[in-house]
């Protein structure tokens, strides 16, 4: 296995994703997977590309698979939660985001997305509790929490 080629493909895929060039990003991520089958990094990149491209079922499946294999990696849990939230899978999003904040109690973005999950699932009191827990006090009294 050529580690340098793998790194180049992964880097190129990440760069293309960052520029919004999703088709090219997927080409590079797929090449990285061919060079190192089962690579966590390449699979994660493919999941991010799917999420960014609106392929929500695929993104959720990929993230769930990654989380099954690596249940305590904060980044994977967070991204799995965001994918589930975007896909409208409130319970799944809550599970992933709650685990994220259990693993890293300083992950303010996870708390914010957890609050948003509660808002979207019509649970404004749980949303407020997540914001208080994250010390995002400026958002706790946001009147729109009750109306979203």
């Amino acid at each position: 296995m050529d580690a340098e080629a793998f790194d180049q493909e992964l880097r190129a895929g990440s760069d293309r994703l960052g520029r919004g060039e999703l088709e090219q990003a997927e080409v590079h991520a797929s090449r990285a997977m061919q060079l190192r089958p089962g690579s966590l990094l390449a699979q994660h990149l493919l999941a991010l590309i799917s999420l960014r491209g609106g392929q929500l079922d695929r993104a959720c499946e990929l993230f769930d698979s990654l989380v099954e294999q690596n249940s305590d990696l904060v980044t994977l849990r967070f991204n799995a939660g965001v994918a589930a939230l975007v896909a409208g899978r409130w319970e799944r999003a809550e599970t992933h985001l709650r685990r994220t904040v259990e693993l890293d109690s300083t992950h303010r973005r996870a708390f914010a997305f957890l609050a948003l999950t509660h808002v979207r699932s019509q649970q404004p009191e749980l949303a407020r509790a997540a914001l208080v827990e994250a010390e995002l006090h400026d958002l706790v009294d946001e009147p729109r929490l009750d109306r979203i």
Side-chain angles (χ1 to χ4, degrees):
M1 169 180 51
D2 188 349
E4 187 175 329
F6 172 80
D7 291 343
Q8 287 175 342
E9 292 296 343
L10 201 60
R11 204 170 19 260
S14 295
D15 290 345
R16 296 291 177 115
L17 174 61
R19 292 194 303 257
E21 299 170 5
L22 303 182
E23 287 180 27
Q24 285 301 311
E26 187 156 1
V27 167
H28 290 290
S30 295
R31 286 182 190 154
M33 282 294 294
Q34 290 172 349
L35 291 167
R36 194 178 292 172
S39 163
L40 171 71
L41 294 172
Q43 289 177 59
H44 190 209
L45 180 58
L46 284 170
L48 290 170
I49 293 165
S50 297
L51 178 60
R52 179 101 179 259
Q55 297 174 327
L56 302 180
D57 288 338
R58 181 179 183 218
C60 287
E61 288 171 15
L62 288 167
F63 279 121
D64 283 344
S65 175
L66 287 166
V67 166
E68 269 183 37
Q69 300 167 43
N70 306 278
S71 63
D72 290 341
L73 289 178
V74 172
T75 301
L76 290 180
R77 278 286 180 177
F78 176 73
N79 288 335
V82 170
L85 173 62
V86 172
R89 299 175 183 180
W90 315 132
E91 288 180 26
R92 200 77 189 126
E94 199 245 339
T95 297
H96 288 306
L97 294 167
R98 175 58 53 199
R99 183 65 183 139
T100 300
V101 299
E102 288 170 0
L103 293 167
D104 180 358
S105 63
T106 65
H107 201 305
R108 293 171 58 93
R109 290 183 66 207
F111 276 111
F113 277 100
L114 180 59
L116 181 58
T117 299
H118 291 312
V119 168
R120 296 284 187 227
S121 63
Q122 304 298 313
Q123 301 176 68
E125 289 309 313
L126 290 176
R128 280 191 181 85
L131 294 172
V132 167
E133 194 172 349
E135 299 180 2
L136 293 167
H137 301 291
D138 53 326
L139 298 176
V140 172
D141 294 323
E142 177 63 46
R144 291 180 293 169
L145 284 178
D146 293 319
R147 290 182 278 142
I148 295 178

